[in-house]
């Protein structure tokens, strides 16, 4: 069977298996996302799997770059991706998208055990503080040391 035929069969199977599953999203006939965990779960994450032209004989591209994952540290993402890569190597040559999504679901707690949410919304504020704080401190110090004219009595 050619890679194209394998992909067509896997695509049909994925559509059938995940029909009505709100966690699954088909981005294109060769690219899929799955949310591991429920909405609002601080340990939920999103995996994107994209097939290459020669998939499943060659590994799919697995990504966690979705905005949904912006509170997950790079180290935790890298750890999850490394574990998924091990599963890819064990399944190379076979349809594995469903297997990878299920593997992530089954191991969510282990994957996220070191997760400490990173509030990316605070990052710009921290950057601004870092940039402006020295200027603010210098300006405040200059004001403190300046001699003020005496207040006039009325």
């Amino acid at each position: 069977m050619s890679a194209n035929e394998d992909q067509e069969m896997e695509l049909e199977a994925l559509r059938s298996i995940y029909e009505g599953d709100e966690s699954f999203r088909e981005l294109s006939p060769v690219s899929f996302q799955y949310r591991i965990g429920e909405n609002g779960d601080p340990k939920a994450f999103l995996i994107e799997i994209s097939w290459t032209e020669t998939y499943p004989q060659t590994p799919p591209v697995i990504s966690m770059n979705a905005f949904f994952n912006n509170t997950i540290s790079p180290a935790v993402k890298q750890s999850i991706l490394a574990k998924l890569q091990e599963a890819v190597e064990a399944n190379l040559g076979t349809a594995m998208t469903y297997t990878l999504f299920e593997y992530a679901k089954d191991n969510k707690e282990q994957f996220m055990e070191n997760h400490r949410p990173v509030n990316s919304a605070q990052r710009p504020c921290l950057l601004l503080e870092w940039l402006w704080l020295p200027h603010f401190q210098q300006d405040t110090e200059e004001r403190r040391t300046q001699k003020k004219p005496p207040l006039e009595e009325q």
Side-chain angles (χ1 to χ4, degrees):
M1 209 179 286
S2 72
N4 247 1
E5 290 170 324
D6 286 341
Q7 289 180 13
E8 286 175 27
M9 288 179 59
E10 186 172 2
L11 178 59
E12 284 180 41
L14 289 171
R15 286 175 174 164
S16 175
I17 291 166
Y18 291 118
E19 182 179 354
D21 186 337
E22 293 179 9
S23 295
F24 177 78
R25 190 163 160 215
E26 180 181 331
L27 303 176
S28 77
V30 296
S31 188
F32 312 92
Q33 286 182 338
Y34 200 90
R35 183 187 70 238
I36 310 299
E38 298 299 317
N39 269 334
D41 178 354
K43 291 190 174 189
F45 58 93
L46 191 76
I47 297 173
E48 185 172 320
I49 296 177
S50 300
W51 300 340
T52 60
E53 278 187 40
T54 54
Y55 169 85
Q57 282 69 40
T58 57
V61 176
I62 304 174
S63 169
M64 290 188 67
N65 294 333
F67 181 78
F68 186 88
N69 296 327
N70 71 341
T71 63
I72 302 172
S73 74
V76 170
K77 287 181 193 177
Q78 201 55 42
S79 172
I80 293 170
L81 291 171
K83 290 171 184 161
L84 289 170
Q85 275 309 126
E86 290 174 14
V88 165
E89 290 169 21
N91 290 284
L92 204 55
T94 65
M96 69 180 90
T97 303
Y98 170 81
T99 302
L100 294 172
F101 287 152
E102 293 302 306
Y103 174 66
K105 286 167 47 177
D106 292 344
N107 291 283
K108 174 186 163 248
E109 291 304 317
Q110 177 191 353
F111 286 0
M112 297 298 282
E113 68 186 347
N114 295 321
H115 172 60
R116 303 291 174 268
V118 176
N119 188 346
S120 61
Q122 290 179 344
R123 286 182 183 165
C125 294
L126 292 174
L127 178 61
L128 285 175
E129 281 181 28
W130 181 78
L131 290 172
W132 286 100
L133 191 57
H135 299 291
F136 176 75
Q137 288 172 336
Q138 182 181 3
D139 184 49
T140 304
E141 188 61 32
E142 286 174 2
R143 287 183 187 186
R144 252 189 251 147
T145 58
Q146 281 179 350
K147 295 211 179 218
K148 297 179 186 166
L151 293 174
E152 293 180 23
E153 293 181 25
Q154 293 184 350

